[in-house]
Amino acid sequence: TERPTRELIFASAAMKAAEQSLAEKRAPDLFRKAENAFWRAKRFYLGKDYENAKAAALETRDLAEKAELSAELQSSSSSDWFR
């Protein structure tokens, strides 16, 4: 099985984007799930369980992107630029 390096890089980038959008405060449940999936991906990778590492990295990316979007939507709905 091939190392899921690319998937982990994308998962890490998605987590950073979620952090920058303040998802930890604005979408805490999604952010926490993404964070947990990211730690699982890292543990699987270090244990050379690359299949599960890839799955957890893909889950991380999906959840982090959802958390970022949710945070951005909450931010924009509370701003005045829609008026």
Side-chain angles (χ1 to χ4, degrees):
T1 303
E2 205 172 300
R3 292 179 187 207
T5 307
R6 181 180 306 156
E7 290 82 0
L8 285 168
I9 290 169
F10 287 141
S12 179
M15 287 300 297
K16 286 179 184 170
E19 287 171 1
Q20 290 175 348
S21 71
L22 303 178
E24 190 171 7
K25 287 184 175 183
R26 296 179 179 153
D29 291 339
L30 281 171
F31 185 81
R32 194 170 302 114
K33 288 177 184 178
E35 201 170 43
N36 287 336
F38 192 49
W39 288 112
R40 280 197 324 273
K42 287 181 174 184
R43 282 195 304 271
F44 285 133
Y45 188 86
L46 291 173
K48 297 184 181 181
D49 184 350
Y50 299 135
E51 192 171 315
N52 282 321
K54 181 177 181 176
L58 293 173
E59 180 184 4
T60 298
R61 183 177 177 184
D62 181 57
L63 290 167
E65 288 174 349
K66 287 177 181 175
E68 178 188 11
L69 178 60
S70 179
E72 292 294 335
L73 288 173
Q74 286 184 24
S75 174
S76 66
S77 69
S78 65
S79 71
D80 288 341
W81 64 275
F82 278 117
R83 295 180 187 183

